[in-house]
Amino acid sequence: MSANDLLLWMSARGQGSWSQFRAAAEELHIAEQENVSSATKEGSVERNALPLHQSLRLNLERFGHAEFFDGVPDNDWRITPPSLSIVRTNDRTMAVVAGGRSDRLLQRLLTASQQHCEIETLAIEAGPDQIRLFSNEIEVFEHISNQTGVLLQREAPMALLMSLPAVDHPAVRTREDLPFGASWKIEQFSTTTLSWKLAAHERALAAAVGLFRFSLPPYRFHTMLCLKGEAYRLPAQVGKYILLRHRRRQVLSYDAFSKRLSLPASCRPPSLIERALVLCSGLLPVYEAHPSSIGLLHYSEIPENVARVAASLLKQSIQ
Amino acid sequence: MFQLTEDEASLAKGMLTRGDRAFDIAYWFGVDEAEIEKLSDRKIFDDAREAASEALPPPGPYPSIRAVRAAISALEKALDDLNVARAAIGMPPYAFTVPSLDFDSRRNFPATNSESEDAPSRARNADTNTPTVTPPRARPSNPKYQPQGRKSASPSNRPGSAQTEPNNERALPIHVRLLMERGGFCRLTLIPRRTTEMPFELEADAEGKPLTLSQLQEEWFDDVYPEKLGDCLHDGAVWSATLADGQSFRWRLSGREVYVLGHHDSLSGFVSKAKVSLDQSHVVLCTESRLSEVTQVISESGSPATVVLGRELGIPDGWVGLKGVIPRVPVASTEVPDILNVLRADADVEILLEGGIRIARSAWLLGHPPQIRILGQLASGDETAVDGISAQRDAAGYLEVGNIGELGDHYVTCGNISRSYRVVEGLEQWQPWDAYSWPLGADQPVICGPLVRPSRCVPAGNRTFLLPITNGLVLGAAPGEIFRCGSRADLAADQCVAFPKFDPVWALPAEILHCDKRSIKVLFLGEPHEVDRLRPHDGSHQIEALEDVQARRQKSREIALWCNAIRDAGRKGLLTQPALDGVASLWRQYKKYAKSLRRSTR
């Protein structure tokens, strides 16, 4: 049993609750298989911090196989339609297969693809196998799309990025009061060390600009951005980049020669920006450990225009 | 612990056949779930006849005791109010009373000693209809596991009885779970049961310490990691929770010195179970003081050598784990109750459905059926069959038959026990849906996985185009097919996204008359070999087909914009790209067509 079965299960059901997802992860005994796996790539960044079902969820989201939401009863997750995300590289065109799968669909895809393009299946830790198709002509993928009913998304990474708001867009955050009560553990994000440090409630109230994490272990976490006396709830990754912008700290670096975008592992981009970066290569970022500092995540095969737009959305500049 | 009577066993068998959950059946009869599992495994009441379907109680899930009590209270109050109202208009009160639960006779609601003797409950006074308040209970001492002896003919004579149950609410079980991790390490946790009426998350009292229980699945809360797990395993634990609406719940782990952990249908890892089963792999947890006895009994069962898990691998202090316990021969339990009897496997036959992809309670996905495994020792003459076709089992107990994965219902029989399952098809069609959208100017692109679509788009095909930011005006082949891309001033992008609702043919500069014609071209978006197909269509009939005046005006405006854009680009002298004869020729046709159309509409 593997994460492939989990994706087949999700595809067969279409949508469901978080508890059903966790039950499926349990029932398919993914934990046992994954835990004995010796392959360690990017997953090791999270494996130490997150339980397997969370790693599975994040990886399913990163590739766009499924979307997960909070607080939608019985609809916490939903599978996306099968799609080919087209990316043009210098010498050829790549299509990353994402979304719902079934045995029949995979068979149709294989039959339609094998004569016209190169098929590559990569094992992903804590995620379903990644299927990538390669061809010299984009028309091949249109033909496959017509034959199999799989939807086509041209220039998927750029199309995604162009449809996303920047991290400081007001629509990304919601005004909310700070959580109160002595039992909350409060931490403040430091742009110097790029890590969380313990803080007091008063500090959150008084901060001109600050990002605070309120946690009530084991399950309640709120990330709050305190900005000139107002508090906003927002995703932690978004908050980090807003804060980095206020502190004028640049954390992104791009190597145009190797087409590699690098950033600190503690400053992972927001999920949809990361999806765009992951779809450039169809691969998860590679983690590079640094004994004396925070490790780096390297996203590969990122075209310069994609890196530039991603940096704009994160309010960073490429170094 | 309460046990089933023979009549109840008949009903329970019928409920099992109907497909009721073991947990619901146990709840209905007020017995431990292990009792139902034993019944299902034919370890008790093997001879009891299965009750007819019309005699069965309704299927679960059942309301909680609190809910029933609340309903009774509400009825009583309503009756009181009704009698007050009747008295006000001179009518006599109703003579009947709301029937109350008999807390002494119903095993679902066993009375505590204090309740039955010292503090009469509300129910005991039901005949007088005089409510009394039940005093708060003292915290019960932690329960100890009652070891079982050999099966007796009369269930009522078994150890454990109604008198030993300390509380008047049935406690939900706390199971022990062991998860194997990297490098041979293991993680031992407690995993409490959940019922459907419980909230997703609740605050419990774990013997004076606060404990947050959060839903893992519908029937389970998430794993709990107590500080002194070794003591909990040995002495047992009782947790309780009371919600704001008065509902209260209790969980219990019976302390013992030996635990048997095996595979579970819906949980990964090894989960505590009543006793070992033949030919199945288990982990046995025992105290260090019991290790030699446990090892002796395990070796008597024909199990291969076990792997010892100690403190260094994650087992609590004072405890030892034995991994790879696979009993190969049945061993009779001792007459006298003995905790080691949990290590002596019965000879009973079990039908297991293992693996596959289960998408509903007893339904497996087509192409991924379960493996059928028969465990235990078959009696002479017992036959194994799937859908009536005789099947042989291999050395590991798996059935080798070809039809187990076919679409439809399947029925596995082995001697006089049976089990059914279904193979069904999953979804094969998935449509795009609106997952994320932000107000970004006039266009509100919708994201669904890797797909980006225009909002409110008919879910057919995908018409997203990335164009150079200099060429943000898109034209189709029919007059009026025109789309202007919204620009993102906040992005360092040299492209823009276009969602035309037509097949685009040309991308013109957004500011035609002010662009630099040395660098900006008219981009051909079609395929060069399809030039003939992309000649301008006649669009005049489109206006005539529109009945609504406003729609006709809008269409006329769009046609005018389409014509003007082509004519402006022509006047500006913009060249086409790619620089192919066919493309340049097509562009000339568009210019000619736009000119004539503009003249005709003046």
Side-chain angles (χ1 to χ4, degrees):
Chain A
M1 292 299 171
S2 66
N4 288 327
D5 291 325
L6 181 67
L7 183 53
L8 286 175
W9 176 87
M10 292 173 79
S11 305
R13 291 183 66 102
Q15 63 188 57
S17 66
W18 176 242
S19 65
Q20 285 169 338
F21 175 80
R22 287 203 63 182
E26 289 280 345
E27 191 171 328
L28 296 174
H29 295 270
I30 288 168
E32 284 165 307
Q33 193 192 6
E34 297 291 343
N35 281 334
V36 296
S37 162
S38 59
T40 304
K41 288 183 186 171
E42 167 273 340
S44 59
V45 184
E46 285 170 352
R47 291 295 295 274
N48 296 331
L50 290 176
L52 181 76
H53 62 269
Q54 289 287 8
S55 295
L56 284 164
R57 173 185 76 87
L58 290 170
N59 285 343
L60 287 165
E61 274 191 314
R62 281 175 190 140
F63 287 112
H65 294 307
E67 306 282 13
F68 287 77
F69 301 97
D70 275 343
V72 186
D74 297 328
N75 196 10
D76 293 324
W77 59 266
R78 188 170 170 185
I79 208 79
T80 63
S83 59
L84 295 176
S85 303
I86 311 290
V87 182
R88 280 188 223 211
T89 57
N90 287 343
D91 51 346
R92 54 184 183 170
T93 307
M94 178 183 71
V96 177
V97 179
R101 290 178 188 177
S102 69
D103 290 335
R104 282 184 198 162
L105 178 79
L106 289 174
Q107 188 56 49
R108 281 205 306 272
L109 198 61
L110 188 70
T111 308
S113 308
Q114 60 191 3
Q115 287 183 346
H116 307 290
C117 59
E118 182 190 332
I119 305 168
E120 185 184 72
T121 304
L122 298 170
I124 302 285
E125 192 184 15
D129 288 350
Q130 184 59 276
I131 304 170
R132 303 196 299 176
L133 312 177
F134 295 93
S135 173
N136 293 327
E137 296 170 359
I138 196 166
E139 292 76 27
V140 166
F141 300 118
E142 285 174 357
H143 171 74
I144 294 170
S145 170
N146 291 335
Q147 285 217 319
T148 59
V150 174
L151 299 174
L152 211 60
Q153 178 61 59
R154 291 164 183 262
E155 305 291 345
M158 190 56 112
L160 272 173
L161 293 176
M162 296 293 295
S163 309
L164 295 175
V167 287
D168 60 350
H169 195 285
V172 183
R173 55 182 188 249
T174 50
R175 170 83 182 83
E176 235 175 67
D177 290 333
L178 290 175
F180 63 92
S183 46
W184 289 95
K185 179 185 173 189
I186 305 171
E187 293 161 292
Q188 184 173 12
F189 186 73
S190 161
T191 50
T192 311
T193 61
L194 300 180
S195 60
W196 296 96
K197 289 182 173 176
L198 278 177
H201 197 271
E202 293 71 31
R203 191 170 174 81
L205 289 170
V209 182
L211 184 69
F212 295 87
R213 182 166 70 182
F214 289 73
S215 50
L216 200 58
Y219 303 110
R220 286 186 199 156
F221 298 95
H222 299 300
T223 308
M224 307 295 294
L225 176 73
C226 297
L227 202 61
K228 296 171 189 166
E230 301 279 329
Y232 301 91
R233 190 168 172 180
L234 74 185
Q237 301 101 310
V238 172
K240 286 176 185 177
Y241 279 97
I242 292 177
L243 197 65
L244 289 168
R245 187 200 182 196
H246 275 273
R247 302 276 188 265
R248 292 188 171 85
R249 169 111 198 249
Q250 303 297 329
V251 294
L252 258 59
S253 64
Y254 180 70
D255 180 348
F257 181 72
S258 60
K259 293 187 174 179
R260 195 173 76 165
L261 182 71
S262 305
L263 44 83
S266 61
C267 295
R268 236 179 158 122
S271 61
L272 292 176
I273 296 179
E274 186 169 35
R275 180 181 296 172
L277 297 176
V278 165
L279 287 174
C280 287
S281 61
L283 302 171
L284 290 171
V286 175
Y287 177 68
E288 183 192 345
H290 280 266
S292 56
S293 63
I294 289 173
L296 289 176
L297 289 176
H298 300 294
Y299 294 86
S300 56
E301 295 175 42
I302 310 289
E304 188 169 346
N305 61 340
V306 171
R308 208 166 286 288
V309 175
S312 298
L313 290 172
L314 296 170
K315 294 297 166 190
Q316 292 273 305
S317 60
I318 289 178
Q319 295 169 0
Chain B
M1 184 184 295
F2 291 109
Q3 285 154 345
L4 293 168
T5 64
E6 187 158 355
D7 290 343
E8 288 170 339
S10 299
L11 287 168
K13 279 188 172 183
M15 293 166 83
L16 282 167
T17 303
R18 185 171 62 185
D20 289 13
R21 299 183 305 177
F23 179 74
D24 288 333
I25 302 170
Y27 193 83
W28 176 263
F29 290 111
V31 298
D32 196 273
E33 197 179 332
E35 190 81 351
I36 303 301
E37 284 168 3
K38 281 192 272 181
L39 182 74
S40 171
D41 297 342
R42 298 181 59 200
K43 290 174 182 167
I44 56 172
F45 295 111
D46 194 11
D47 301 328
R49 296 180 62 182
E50 186 179 307
S53 58
E54 56 271 19
L56 301 180
Y62 303 109
S64 69
I65 313 308
R66 285 286 172 193
V68 174
R69 282 181 165 180
I72 290 170
S73 298
L75 284 172
E76 286 172 344
K77 185 174 181 309
L79 183 62
D80 289 345
D81 292 346
L82 192 59
N83 283 339
V84 169
R86 287 173 69 89
I89 56 173
M91 293 178 70
Y94 283 119
F96 61 81
T97 57
V98 176
S100 186
L101 294 172
D102 178 356
F103 281 75
D104 290 336
S105 61
R106 290 282 305 202
R107 296 191 310 180
N108 264 345
F109 317 95
T112 62
N113 289 339
S114 60
E115 281 176 340
S116 58
E117 292 168 12
D118 305 329
S121 68
R122 181 190 184 96
R124 285 171 66 81
N125 291 290
D127 52 347
T128 58
N129 206 20
T130 309
T132 59
V133 177
T134 306
R137 290 191 301 274
R139 187 190 301 281
S141 59
N142 285 351
K144 294 295 277 187
Y145 177 75
Q146 298 294 321
Q148 303 278 306
R150 190 174 295 167
K151 282 186 233 176
S152 62
S154 165
S156 58
N157 292 336
R158 291 179 202 170
S161 70
Q163 305 309 314
T164 62
E165 183 68 23
N167 290 301
N168 78 340
E169 286 135 19
R170 191 173 57 84
L172 291 157
I174 300 171
H175 286 255
V176 181
R177 172 153 87 152
L178 183 133
L179 289 160
M180 299 310 298
E181 299 195 317
R182 288 163 192 260
F185 289 95
C186 57
R187 190 156 38 107
L188 198 61
T189 66
L190 300 182
I191 181 162
R193 267 284 190 180
R194 180 181 176 275
T195 59
T196 47
E197 76 252 21
M198 290 181 179
F200 292 128
E201 187 175 297
L202 54 78
E203 298 295 328
D205 172 25
E207 292 159 3
K209 291 185 178 173
L211 175 68
T212 304
L213 298 179
S214 185
Q215 182 185 14
L216 168 68
Q217 302 173 18
E218 283 187 1
E219 296 173 3
W220 297 95
F221 279 112
D222 213 339
D223 297 81
V224 174
Y225 306 83
E227 279 177 25
K228 295 180 179 176
L229 181 56
D231 293 347
C232 280
L233 294 173
H234 189 272
D235 302 333
V238 175
W239 302 340
S240 59
T242 303
L243 303 184
D245 63 0
Q247 281 195 86
S248 67
F249 305 103
R250 207 159 58 84
W251 293 265
R252 189 181 64 174
L253 172 72
S254 303
R256 67 193 83 168
E257 292 180 299
V258 181
Y259 286 86
V260 172
L261 279 59
H263 283 289
H264 193 278
D265 270 354
S266 58
L267 292 171
S268 61
F270 293 87
V271 181
S272 52
K273 56 189 280 192
K275 67 186 302 187
V276 293
S277 304
L278 273 184
D279 298 324
Q280 287 192 46
S281 182
H282 305 83
V283 171
V284 171
L285 279 178
C286 68
T287 54
E288 286 172 346
S289 60
R290 286 278 196 169
L291 181 58
S292 60
E293 295 169 85
V294 165
T295 311
Q296 174 67 26
V297 177
I298 288 172
S299 66
E300 285 169 9
S301 70
S303 171
T306 57
V307 177
V308 178
L309 307 172
R311 181 187 172 189
E312 70 284 358
L313 294 176
I315 300 294
D317 276 347
W319 288 80
V320 179
L322 298 170
K323 192 184 167 199
V325 177
I326 308 173
R328 295 295 187 198
V329 292
V331 179
S333 295
T334 56
E335 287 283 358
V336 290
D338 181 3
I339 184 66
L340 299 177
N341 280 341
V342 298
L343 302 172
R344 297 181 173 112
D346 296 328
D348 300 343
V349 174
E350 266 183 281
I351 301 174
L352 299 183
L353 301 176
E354 295 181 348
I357 298 179
R358 188 163 69 166
I359 59 172
R361 187 158 292 280
S362 61
W364 270 258
L365 182 63
L366 182 65
H368 303 270
Q371 283 188 298
I372 304 168
R373 194 175 184 197
I374 309 286
L375 295 178
Q377 292 190 332
L378 294 180
S380 64
D382 276 355
E383 284 210 359
T384 308
V386 178
D387 302 333
I389 301 166
S390 182
Q392 297 299 314
R393 59 177 184 165
D394 64 13
Y398 291 102
L399 293 192
E400 295 167 340
V401 276
N403 60 337
I404 59 171
E406 288 176 5
L407 206 61
D409 293 328
H410 297 274
Y411 199 65
V412 186
T413 54
C414 180
N416 58 355
I417 66 165
S418 63
R419 195 158 173 191
S420 62
Y421 68 96
R422 277 183 303 139
V423 174
V424 296
E425 286 188 288
L427 283 181
E428 283 287 341
Q429 296 287 330
W430 303 270
Q431 296 299 332
W433 48 282
D434 297 355
Y436 299 99
S437 180
W438 285 273
L440 299 171
D443 304 322
Q444 289 200 10
V446 175
I447 294 170
C448 179
L451 300 172
V452 180
R453 301 174 299 125
S455 57
R456 299 181 300 280
C457 175
V458 180
N462 187 284
R463 294 177 186 276
T464 310
F465 289 85
L466 279 173
L467 300 167
I469 201 159
T470 51
N471 289 58
L473 191 62
V474 182
L475 304 182
E481 289 184 342
I482 185 165
F483 180 88
R484 188 177 288 274
C485 301
S487 61
R488 291 283 302 271
D490 59 334
L491 298 183
D494 52 5
Q495 288 178 304
C496 56
V497 188
F499 305 108
K501 293 176 181 171
F502 49 85
D503 286 331
V505 182
W506 305 104
L508 276 55
E511 299 293 333
I512 299 170
L513 297 174
H514 300 104
C515 70
D516 181 355
K517 68 178 184 182
R518 289 168 298 182
S519 57
I520 309 273
K521 316 278 184 196
V522 173
L523 300 183
F524 176 63
L525 301 176
E527 297 300 329
H529 63 272
E530 290 183 323
V531 162
D532 288 344
R533 192 181 63 81
L534 297 174
R535 279 185 291 203
H537 311 153
D538 180 12
S540 55
H541 66 279
Q542 293 176 3
I543 299 178
E544 291 155 14
L546 295 171
E547 291 181 1
D548 181 42
V549 177
Q550 278 200 333
R552 290 178 70 156
R553 276 187 194 150
Q554 172 68 19
K555 192 68 194 174
S556 297
R557 207 162 28 239
E558 286 172 351
I559 289 174
L561 286 171
W562 186 88
C563 290
N564 290 342
I566 295 171
R567 293 176 72 217
D568 287 347
R571 280 195 210 108
K572 181 85 179 177
L574 295 179
L575 299 175
T576 52
Q577 190 179 335
L580 300 171
D581 289 344
V583 173
S585 168
L586 184 68
W587 178 239
R588 281 196 295 275
Q589 289 179 45
Y590 270 76
K591 285 194 287 186
K592 193 175 170 185
Y593 183 81
K595 191 174 177 182
S596 65
L597 184 62
R598 188 68 184 145
R599 277 183 185 161
S600 67
T601 53
R602 270 182 185 166

